[in-house]
Amino acid sequence: MQLDIGNALDSVATPGVSTDALDRLDDAVADAHETIAAGMSNARFGYASLNLPETTSAAGIERAVDSIDADAVLTVGIGGSALGAKTITAALGEANHFLLDNVDPEATNRLLDALDFESTAINVVSKSGTTAETLANFLVVRDAYEAAGVDWTERTVVTTGESGPLAELAAEEELPKLAVPDGVPGRFSALSAVGLVAPAILGYDIEAVLDGGREARDSLTESIDDCPAYAYGALAVALERRGVHTNAFMPYAEALEPFAEWFAQLWAESLGKDGQGQTPARALGATDQHSQLQLYRAGRHDTMVTLVRPTARDDREIPAVDVEGLAYLGDATLGDLLDAEFEATEASLAAADKPSIRVELDRVDEHGIGDLLVSFEAACIMAGELMGVETFTQPAVEWGKNAARGLLGGEETAEAAAVRDKREYRIE
Ligand SMILES: O=P(O)(O)OC[C@H]1O[C@H](O)[C@H](O)[C@@H](O)[C@@H]1O
């Protein structure tokens, strides 16, 4: 991953970061790097995530899914237990990866009505093994396979912790079971079985994904001058301190649209703490140039735009046409047009004094997505260190989980009581 932070400097943007501030930031980054490196070598909770490119065995995952013969995969999980797999397969252009990462009955009915169960493997993922949405969806899916006379036990892989209800279900049915690695929070687990089972079943080179992750991990050095991942995290924090509370993440590649979704969870759940944290906004280039860009250029000076693009991609010529006003398209490809739009958007933000950061990867492929995932995890961990927050916990999310469980199960939790105490002021 490469970075260009020129348009986040105070000579371009308001707010922006001065070169003096960058020097001061560099000292803080060096200290934080020491903490991160020590955390990695002691495999401390959270920091162990950055070791996954080394500790995950691609061969082990491939062995576990070897008996499964499928053309499609249905992943049942939510949050960090779904978005890694979705991000990786989308980056690889896979159309046959389906997800149940919500409990909307209408969407579930539609998806299950359309699936060919015979050729679809079930990939159930839950670190805790207790998440209501995932367990409910798994029970629904099993039931649908049974109703169609298809043996789900022959095509199901479970990834979960040592114990818990999902581990028990897997043991009861003797399903292949992979572990969520120790010390790795869900949103940092893409480069483990959590994110790699689906692409492995679909026949992708998951070792190459890990390879990309290794490259990112090896590029973590103590100075932002030669570490793009840390530079991104540090710049985002410096901008947030100067009032940049929104981070609009805008890849110029459809295959990276789910990456923006994955980034949103990573950034929000890791850094939204103690009254701090940037709000991640999801955008797609060039499509959202024709909608959200109005706000990012002409709205408040509280947003940075992260512009992401591959520097190489497959391309397609735009056919020439003999119509005045369209001649300029004639010599171009769709890729040329997308690149021109990328650069035009970047310049248009700078002309409006709005900060942006350019992120480039060589190509959206196995290696590229592995690199991006680990680079942004490292960026997030660096940001968390600089902000002084507990990057690897999510107490605010747990509150809602407890409330829902209390309401459904009739348990008397404080959270469920708070839901019942809701103040009403209806307007009909
Ligand atoms: O993997 P699970 O235990 O099922 O958890 C799935 C998701 O649930 C929670 O809401 C957490 O906040 C997420 O970080 C997690 O990824």
Side-chain angles (χ1 to χ4, degrees):
M1 175 175 112
Q2 301 106 45
L3 215 62
D4 184 345
I5 60 167
N7 283 340
L9 298 178
D10 67 348
S11 49
V12 174
T14 312
V17 183
S18 69
T19 46
D20 285 348
L22 270 186
D23 287 341
R24 289 194 297 275
L25 203 53
D26 208 32
D27 295 336
V29 166
D31 290 344
H33 173 60
E34 238 177 79
T35 308
I36 296 170
M40 284 161 72
S41 53
N42 300 324
R44 272 183 55 205
F45 183 72
Y47 302 98
S49 314
L50 297 174
N51 295 332
L52 286 178
E54 257 93 50
T55 53
T56 298
S57 160
I61 294 172
E62 279 156 0
R63 256 195 317 277
V65 304
D66 193 40
S67 62
I68 295 184
D69 178 22
D71 303 326
V73 174
L74 172 62
T75 290
V76 182
I78 198 166
S81 285
L83 289 174
K86 179 177 179 181
T87 298
I88 293 169
T89 56
L92 304 176
E94 178 58 52
N96 287 327
H97 184 200
F98 305 98
L99 276 105
L100 275 180
D101 63 348
N102 200 351
V103 281
D104 177 334
E106 290 183 331
T108 302
N109 289 344
R110 265 198 299 274
L111 175 63
L112 293 177
D113 285 348
L115 269 194
D116 173 21
F117 296 145
E118 284 284 353
S119 60
T120 304
I122 306 169
N123 173 36
V124 194
V125 191
S126 174
K127 177 179 159 72
S128 61
T130 59
T131 303
E133 293 90 338
T134 302
L135 274 291
N137 277 335
F138 183 35
L139 296 177
V140 166
V141 169
R142 284 168 32 155
D143 190 57
Y145 273 61
E146 270 166 25
V150 178
D151 185 355
W152 58 272
T153 63
E154 278 180 4
R155 25 179 86 67
T156 298
V157 186
V158 171
T159 301
T160 189
E162 279 287 301
S163 55
L166 186 57
E168 274 170 39
L169 284 176
E172 248 169 50
E173 304 289 345
E174 297 178 10
L175 304 174
K177 180 174 150 316
L178 287 148
V180 176
D182 279 345
V184 179
R187 58 190 172 278
F188 288 88
S189 66
L191 262 63
S192 71
V194 173
L196 295 173
V197 163
I201 295 175
L202 292 162
Y204 291 101
D205 182 358
I206 59 171
E207 186 63 54
V209 180
L210 293 171
D211 243 10
R214 272 191 287 275
E215 187 177 310
R217 188 201 128 106
D218 292 348
S219 73
L220 300 180
T221 60
E222 61 186 16
S223 170
I224 51 180
D225 282 336
D226 48 27
C227 180
Y230 285 165
Y232 183 86
L235 258 289
V237 172
L239 288 168
E240 197 217 352
R241 287 178 184 152
R242 289 160 178 75
V244 175
H245 300 310
T246 300
N247 187 337
F249 201 87
M250 192 165 182
Y252 276 66
E254 297 231 349
L256 291 178
E257 205 174 358
F259 186 80
E261 215 181 319
W262 174 88
F263 170 83
Q265 184 195 5
L266 183 79
W267 220 241
E269 215 174 30
S270 305
L271 306 175
K273 282 158 196 163
D274 309 332
Q276 303 180 72
Q278 288 181 320
T279 303
R282 282 143 50 184
L284 178 69
T287 311
D288 285 311
Q289 283 177 211
H290 302 274
S291 68
Q292 299 177 31
L293 188 62
Q294 171 66 33
L295 174 68
Y296 302 149
R297 266 208 93 198
R300 287 188 201 93
H301 284 256
D302 66 352
T303 300
M304 61 179 274
V305 183
T306 301
L307 297 159
V308 186
R309 74 163 168 190
T311 51
R313 57 164 91 79
D314 293 343
D315 212 340
R316 193 171 182 116
E317 299 259 328
I318 303 172
V321 63
D322 195 13
V323 174
E324 209 190 331
L326 290 183
Y328 72 101
L329 291 175
D331 291 328
T333 64
L334 289 178
D336 295 335
L337 181 55
L338 195 58
D339 279 337
E341 305 223 49
F342 178 94
E343 279 161 39
T345 298
E346 189 181 49
S348 80
L349 289 164
D353 302 338
K354 297 293 169 65
S356 69
I357 294 182
R358 180 197 282 214
V359 176
E360 288 175 327
L361 70 158
D362 295 342
R363 211 180 168 90
V364 187
D365 57 7
E366 280 95 337
H367 189 276
I369 194 65
D371 178 4
L372 267 194
L373 286 162
V374 174
S375 293
F376 274 93
E377 286 173 14
C380 179
I381 295 173
M382 173 53 70
E385 296 295 325
L386 297 174
M387 292 163 68
V389 295
E390 278 193 21
T391 307
F392 304 114
T393 60
Q394 56 284 331
V397 174
E398 304 299 344
W399 197 101
K401 275 181 148 176
N402 291 340
R405 245 197 311 268
L407 286 178
L408 266 185
E411 234 178 278
E412 255 329 305
T413 62
E415 292 91 341
V419 180
R420 282 191 212 98
D421 288 347
K422 177 195 174 302
R423 154 123 206 254
E424 281 203 355
Y425 182 162
R426 297 179 73 88
I427 298 168
E428 288 167 8

